[in-house]
Structure formats: structure tokens, C-alpha cells
């Protein structure tokens, strides 16, 4: 079975977007409207002394996204950028922001601190593209649920 998110990322390439332009796009209404965001537990292999670098490296999805250091104000956050070709030779920017340790803010105000969690947000004008990229990032980063052993339970 072929999964759509992997196909979409295969069509993408790293963006040469300047950090200031990336910040402007990130806050634009078109990008904000199509955002897809999620929080997941990161695979244990990404956590440790090399974290958050190993997480950012994994989110490059094999060179599809390019990390844009110094754009994110959070030292445990990173903004990554890619381009998706469109019809008639145009291209669409796709931005992926990851924040390791969960969303900032105090626990009393709805934030949380979990060193094994990552908040992912994908923005572009296309909600469908954002969902596909979020799914691909989730498959790379997320700890898989332990359901393989249970899949045979209850069968006769």
C-alpha cells in the first residue's frame, strides 16, 4: 500500500528562503489558515545528548526540508522550509516548525513540559499538503504504539 504523505515529500525540495521571508510567510494569513499541528512522543533513539539536533535532522526528511537556524526564538524549536512544485512552473513554500519538549508556557496556563514530546506545525496555503507533510513527519519521529503483539489477540 502506498501512502500519500511519502509521495508528496518525494516531490518536494529544500527551499532557499531567507530567514526573514520565512518568518513573514509563517505569520501570513494564508499560511496560518491552513496550519496542521500535532503533539507526539518522540522515538527514544532521537532523545539524548544529540537532541534536539537529531530531531531537526530527522525532520529534514532525507534532505527535503532545510533547517533555518535563528528564526525560532525558542532554543528547542526549529523552522524548516521546503518547496513543492505546482502547475505552470510555480512553486509553493511549505514550512515545518518543531518545538521539542512540548509547547512553551506554564502548566497553569495550558502549556506543558515533556522532554520526550514534540509539537509539530506545518503551514502552507494548502491544508491537504500540510496534512500530508505532518503525517510524514509523524511517521519519522513518533514512537510507534506497541500494538503488534496485541494484533493476534482474540483471533481463532
Amino acid at each position: 500500500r502506498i501512502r500519500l504523505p511519502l509521495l508528496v515529500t518525494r516531490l518536494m525540495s529544500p527551499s532557499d528562503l531567507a530567514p526573514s521571508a520565512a518568518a513573514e510567510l509563517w505569520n501570513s494569513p494564508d499560511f496560518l489558515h491552513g496550519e496542521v499541528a500535532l503533539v507526539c512522543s518522540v522515538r527514544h533513539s532521537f532523545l539524548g545528548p544529540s537532541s534536539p539536533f537529531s530531531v531537526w535532522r530527522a525532520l529534514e526528511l532525507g534532505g527535503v526540508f532545510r533547517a533555518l537556524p535563528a528564526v525560532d526564538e525558542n532554543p528547542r524549536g526549529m523552522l524548516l522550509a521546503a518547496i513543492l512544485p505546482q502547475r505552470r512552473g510555480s512553486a509553493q513554500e511549505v514550512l515545518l516548525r518543531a518545538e521539542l519538549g512540548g509547547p512553551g508556557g506554564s502548566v497553569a496556563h495550558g502549556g506543558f513540559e515533556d522532554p520526550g514530546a514534540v509539537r509539530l506545525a506545518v503551514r502552507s496555503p494548502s491544508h491537504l499538503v500540510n496534512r500530508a507533510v505532518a503525517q510524514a513527519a509523524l511517521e519519522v519521529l513518533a514512537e510507534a504504539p506497541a500494538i503488534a503483539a496485541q494484533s493476534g489477540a482474540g483471533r481463532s
Side-chain angles (χ1 to χ4, degrees):
R1 182 172 161 215
I2 297 175
R3 300 195 65 168
L4 180 63
L6 297 177
L7 292 177
V8 168
T9 58
R10 287 288 201 196
L11 300 173
M12 298 170 75
S13 60
S15 173
D16 290 330
L17 196 61
S20 59
E24 187 176 320
L25 274 179
W26 182 259
N27 294 313
S28 72
D30 285 344
F31 276 58
L32 186 59
H33 181 69
E35 178 181 84
V36 171
L38 58 99
V39 176
C40 69
S41 295
V42 178
R43 294 177 197 265
H44 292 291
S45 60
F46 292 128
L47 301 174
S50 63
S51 169
F53 176 77
S54 57
V55 174
W56 309 155
R57 188 77 170 154
L59 286 174
E60 289 177 352
L61 302 177
V64 170
F65 278 87
R66 183 174 70 90
L68 301 171
V71 175
D72 201 310
E73 297 171 0
N74 183 342
R76 297 190 54 83
M78 179 63 71
L79 186 64
L80 300 101
I83 295 175
L84 178 64
Q86 300 291 301
R87 294 183 197 138
R88 300 184 189 128
S90 64
Q92 174 181 310
E93 298 285 347
V94 180
L95 301 176
L96 168 62
R97 181 180 182 270
E99 184 178 355
L100 194 57
S106 70
V107 176
H109 292 96
F112 68 92
E113 287 295 324
D114 179 357
V118 66
R119 179 184 188 275
L120 299 173
V122 184
R123 290 185 185 177
S124 79
S126 171
H127 183 74
L128 291 176
V129 169
N130 297 345
R131 282 183 45 196
V133 170
Q135 183 64 42
L138 185 65
E139 289 183 18
V140 168
L141 281 186
E143 191 68 60
I147 59 172
Q150 298 174 2
S151 64
R155 291 185 183 172
S156 28

